[in-house]
């Protein structure tokens, strides 16, 4: 796959001067390339990272390349709801508004483990995150959601764990959550999107077994670079006229069809309610 051209070419001229954009997992891979592109457009970039040392290095690189002096790093561990709440409090105190929230951070097919709060890690990091209400909310999902189903009897994979199924469940949850959030925010002016970035050369594959990693290496010529993998995220963030598409799923910078399970509104409502209970959130 060629890497000719710049990310999100269809939105190349769009400026975002003084808009405040928060990107989780922005110190590497797709998140970093998204931050780079949006910084080049003049936005204020908040890079929410678990590893602030790597985050500061990425921010320095982006600032030097783009000339944007408003790229800041904030500590955020999405595997710990205490960290999430402290982070949200800090953002609310330091910023009067937030224009775009990009939920990019995630993990893929890791060994069984739990978050600090006792949630199966992939569900906890990829889905169970309290949202704020900027103009646009973008949730990076995956085509892997098509292999997923929501197991309400074992949501935390405590009875049986399969890394692929757990990952697929978390990505399906991203899409169902996006659709339900769009319904709840109807009429507020906040648009919500989910997306598949493509098969991208990132650090997410670090938990895969050596045989699978070797297979991915052989497929490398057919995968996307992080800059190309960021294109659909950037498109959802800056493209004009997407308001009528709120709640929808995108890939390759256009609306796409997700799995039939993702359209199950009753299960989406149930998942929302259970998620709020698990996180002790009273949605208002």
């Amino acid at each position: 796959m060629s890497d000719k051209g710049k990310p999100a070419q269809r939105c190349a001229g769009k400026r975002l001067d003084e808009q405040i954009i928060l990107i989780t997992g922005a110190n590497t891979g797709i998140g970093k390339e998204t931050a780079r592109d949006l910084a080049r457009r003049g936005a204020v970039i908040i890079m929410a990272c678990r590893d602030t040392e790597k985050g500061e290095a990425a921010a320095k690189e982006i600032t030097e390349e783009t000339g944007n002096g408003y790229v800041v790093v904030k500590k955020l561990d999405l595997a710990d709801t205490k960290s999430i709440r402290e982070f949200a409090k800090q953002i609310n105190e330091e910023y009067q508004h937030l224009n775009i929230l990009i939920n990019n951070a995630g993990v893929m097919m890791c060994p069984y483990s739990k978050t600090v709060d006792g949630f199966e890690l992939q569900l906890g990091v990829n889905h169970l995150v309290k949202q704020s209400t900027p103009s646009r909310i973008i949730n990076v999902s995956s085509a892997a959601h098509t292999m997923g189903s929501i197991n309400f009897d074992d949501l935390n994979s405590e009875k049986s764990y399969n890394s692929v199924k757990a990952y697929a469940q978390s990505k399906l949850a991203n899409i169902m959550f996006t659709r339900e959030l769009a319904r709840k925010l109807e009429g507020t002016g906040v648009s919500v999107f989910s997306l598949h970035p493509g098969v991208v050369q990132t650090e997410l594959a670090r938990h895969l077994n050596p045989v699978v990693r070797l297979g991915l290496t052989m497929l490398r010529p057919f995968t996307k670079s992080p800059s190309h993998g960021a294109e659909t995220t950037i498109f959802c963030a800056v493209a004009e006229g997407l308001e009528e598409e709120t709640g929808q799923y995108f890939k390759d910078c256009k609306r796409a069809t997700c799995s039939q399970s993702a359209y199950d509104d009753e299960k989406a409502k149930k998942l929302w309610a259970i998620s709020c209970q698990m996180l002790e959130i009273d949605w208002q």
Side-chain angles (χ1 to χ4, degrees):
M1 178 173 292
S2 172
D3 267 354
K4 294 180 180 179
K6 295 181 179 180
Q9 294 183 51
R10 293 168 64 183
C11 310
K14 177 73 173 180
R15 295 292 300 175
L16 299 172
D17 297 290
E18 299 183 359
Q19 288 202 30
I20 300 174
I21 302 176
L22 194 162
I23 309 172
T24 66
N27 63 289
T28 187
I30 297 172
K32 181 179 177 181
E33 295 306 320
T34 301
R36 191 194 311 275
D37 182 277
L38 300 180
R40 191 178 287 116
R41 298 170 189 270
V44 175
I45 305 296
I46 305 170
M47 302 173 67
C49 307
R50 182 177 58 182
D51 189 330
T52 53
E53 185 176 342
K54 288 183 178 180
E56 292 290 355
K60 183 175 184 290
E61 176 187 323
I62 291 170
T63 295
E64 291 176 349
E65 180 180 323
T66 66
N68 186 333
Y70 298 98
V71 181
V72 299
V73 176
K74 300 290 185 183
K75 173 74 173 181
L76 173 62
D77 183 355
L78 290 175
D80 183 353
T81 55
K82 180 181 178 182
S83 174
I84 295 169
R85 290 189 169 97
E86 290 176 349
F87 172 82
K89 183 175 183 292
Q90 182 183 21
I91 294 298
N92 286 333
E93 290 174 349
E94 295 183 9
Y95 297 91
Q96 294 183 341
H97 64 279
L98 191 63
N99 299 98
I100 301 173
L101 169 63
I102 300 176
N103 291 311
N104 166 80
V107 292
M108 182 173 75
M109 302 181 196
C110 53
Y112 185 79
S113 57
K114 290 186 177 182
T115 68
V116 172
D117 312 281
F119 306 127
E120 188 279 311
L121 185 60
Q122 300 194 64
L123 183 71
V125 173
N126 291 335
H127 169 57
L128 293 178
V129 180
K130 185 177 182 181
Q131 307 296 312
S132 60
T133 52
S135 297
R136 291 189 182 185
I137 299 174
I138 299 154
N139 298 317
V140 178
S141 182
S142 169
H145 81 274
T146 58
M147 300 183 291
S149 60
I150 305 299
N151 185 354
F152 289 109
D153 293 328
D154 190 22
L155 205 56
N156 268 327
S157 302
E158 294 174 315
K159 299 175 182 177
S160 175
Y161 181 71
N162 177 287
S163 62
V164 175
K165 289 182 178 180
Y167 178 69
Q169 174 179 249
S170 74
K171 295 288 100 178
L172 175 59
N174 289 156
I175 298 175
M176 296 174 75
F177 172 81
T178 297
R179 289 174 55 81
E180 182 64 9
L181 182 59
R183 187 185 69 80
K184 289 182 177 295
L185 294 175
E186 186 176 359
T188 66
V190 180
S191 301
V192 193
F193 312 104
S194 62
L195 65 96
H196 169 54
V199 181
V200 185
Q201 304 155 18
T202 72
E203 296 178 1
L204 275 181
R206 62 186 179 275
H207 292 298
L208 301 180
N209 67 57
V211 175
V212 176
R213 287 204 303 271
L214 176 61
L216 288 177
T217 300
M218 296 175 65
L219 290 173
R220 191 177 183 86
F222 306 98
T223 61
K224 294 182 178 182
S225 68
S227 62
H228 271 68
E231 286 187 343
T232 304
T233 303
I234 296 165
F235 175 81
C236 289
V238 306
E240 297 180 358
L242 289 186
E243 292 75 18
E244 297 301 316
E245 303 289 345
T246 185
Q248 300 303 320
Y249 171 73
F250 288 77
K251 71 174 181 178
D252 296 326
C253 296
K254 59 187 177 186
R255 183 172 167 177
T257 301
C258 47
S259 71
Q260 194 63 39
S261 297
Y263 291 109
D264 191 325
D265 292 338
E266 291 306 311
K267 283 189 178 180
K269 292 176 182 178
K270 182 177 179 180
L271 178 62
W272 180 284
I274 292 174
S275 300
C276 288
Q277 289 175 2
M278 293 170 75
L279 288 172
E280 299 181 349
I281 292 173
D282 182 18
W283 174 266
Q284 300 294 334

